[in-house]
Amino acid sequence: MKNDMDVEPNLAVLLDVATEAAQAGGAVLHSYWGKLENIREKGRPGDLITEADQAAEAAVLAVIKRYCPDHQILAEESGALGNPDSPYLWAVDPLDGTTNYAHQYPFSATSVALLIQGGPQVGAIYDPFHRELFRAAKGLGATRNRQPIHVSKTDKLAQSLLVTGFAYDRRETKDNNYAEFCRMTHLTQGVRRGGAACLDLAYVACGRLDGYWERGLSPWDIAAGIILVEEAGGIVTAYNQGPQRLNTGRLLATNGLIHQSLSQELLQVEPMVFNLE
Ligand code: IPD
Ligand code: CA
Ligand code: CA
């Protein structure tokens, strides 16, 4: 009997599924904009969930299940779904940037990725507030609104614009990224805190930003963005330039040209001890 991996996956078709799913989620985000009635904390302080997260996830899942009923899904709000034996795993963040969204700061998107045997191979990210659709699949390149994109050519850290973020556990750990943020702010033209990891990666892919690092992330935050950066000519690794592993929640993504210097700087940073009681 044939199993799923006996047939070469058609990444172009799977990319269209990811795109339809991300656009369905993004349409829901647009429709709830400014109309939220139910904003709650999920667990840690500041980790929010709204009716838009749940409705967008339902819309994304409906598309994936319609086309790929035999695949696995890992969705932020619903957890693990589908066939656990499938080599195909969809990683879904229906609303990346929930804090922004809840405050009506328009920097959020729906992110849909397909991992095949553990590696991100297809990604679609849709930002309905700027009407930007970012897409990539392994070997097929990366696009923004269907036009090819490429990482920036900035080759010096001192001339770079970076982005990072701070996980919801930042008040509970010394590994909170505060010291890294200060050091890189000192060494570069600036460090932004976008608040939506998938768009941070998409912005590296299209050259608006030169590099991104962050810890405490989940596969659904970064899987689509990783394939985008790679297909746009950039590099994604662990902080020490070793292979990036999704389950570490940590990554360094750059245009390639500043990768080594950013990695070296990140590895030198000592945690900053605050007394912020
Ligand atoms: C968060 C955003 C944010 C990052 C957090 C993520 P959410 O996702 O991507 O930029 O710093 O670590 O959890 O909660 O808005 O889906
Ligand atoms: Ca997220
Ligand atoms: Ca989310």
Side-chain angles (χ1 to χ4, degrees):
M1 198 174 97
K2 280 186 183 255
N3 74 31
D4 271 353
M5 291 317 292
D6 291 338
V7 181
E8 193 69 21
N10 186 333
L11 296 186
V13 170
L14 291 162
L15 180 55
D16 284 342
V17 175
T19 303
E20 189 174 328
Q23 288 185 308
V28 172
L29 301 186
H30 199 260
S31 71
Y32 277 88
W33 182 249
K35 298 178 194 149
L36 291 179
E37 290 178 354
N38 190 358
I39 305 173
R40 333 184 280 290
E41 281 180 344
K42 276 200 270 194
R44 290 199 167 91
D47 190 359
L48 305 178
I49 181 162
T50 74
E51 61 268 44
D53 296 74
Q54 288 166 318
E57 184 156 300
V60 171
L61 296 183
V63 174
I64 296 173
K65 287 178 184 170
R66 174 155 21 105
Y67 292 107
C68 307
D70 299 332
H71 291 184
Q72 287 189 72
I73 304 174
L74 177 64
E76 180 173 10
E77 312 306 344
S78 313
L81 304 167
N83 170 10
D85 299 324
S86 172
Y88 297 90
L89 170 67
W90 293 88
V92 174
D93 193 338
L95 168 45
D96 189 37
T98 299
T99 307
N100 289 343
Y101 187 89
H103 289 266
Q104 292 184 53
Y105 179 89
F107 192 76
S108 313
T110 299
S111 179
V112 178
L114 176 65
L115 286 72
I116 304 181
Q117 292 179 319
Q121 300 232 353
V122 166
I125 295 169
Y126 184 56
D127 167 1
F129 308 106
H130 300 93
R131 295 192 184 175
E132 288 194 311
L133 171 66
F134 296 93
R135 294 172 15 116
K138 199 165 190 131
L140 300 182
T143 60
R144 181 191 77 89
N145 291 347
R146 314 257 171 188
Q147 299 302 311
I149 52 175
H150 206 272
V151 292
S152 70
K153 294 190 163 55
T154 307
D155 62 357
K156 292 189 180 53
L157 210 47
Q159 290 165 2
S160 67
L161 182 63
L162 307 181
V163 67
T164 190
F166 304 92
Y168 297 116
D169 67 357
R170 59 186 176 267
R171 297 176 191 88
E172 300 153 30
T173 172
K174 275 197 241 171
D175 186 16
N176 50 25
N177 200 30
Y178 297 163
E180 289 86 343
F181 180 76
C182 290
R183 182 159 180 84
M184 298 315 158
T185 298
H186 194 70
L187 294 175
T188 62
Q189 289 185 348
V191 182
R192 300 290 175 257
R193 195 294 192 234
C198 73
L199 289 177
D200 295 336
L201 283 160
Y203 280 28
V204 172
C206 70
R208 292 173 183 159
L209 295 165
D210 306 304
Y212 167 60
W213 82 92
E214 192 167 340
R215 59 160 292 279
L217 296 159
S218 298
W220 52 76
D221 295 314
I222 53 177
I226 288 174
I227 187 73
L228 260 161
V229 170
E230 290 176 345
E231 286 295 314
I235 297 182
V236 182
T237 67
Y239 283 12
N240 67 3
Q241 300 185 70
Q244 201 283 331
R245 299 201 196 289
L246 284 173
N247 60 6
T248 64
R250 198 179 286 261
L251 87 173
L252 170 60
T254 74
N255 63 6
L257 302 172
I258 60 163
H259 208 81
Q260 194 174 355
S261 27
L262 184 49
S263 163
Q264 281 168 355
E265 295 297 341
L266 283 173
L267 294 180
Q268 280 178 38
V269 175
E270 298 286 336
M272 201 180 275
V273 180
F274 279 103
N275 187 356
L276 296 174
E277 297 299 299

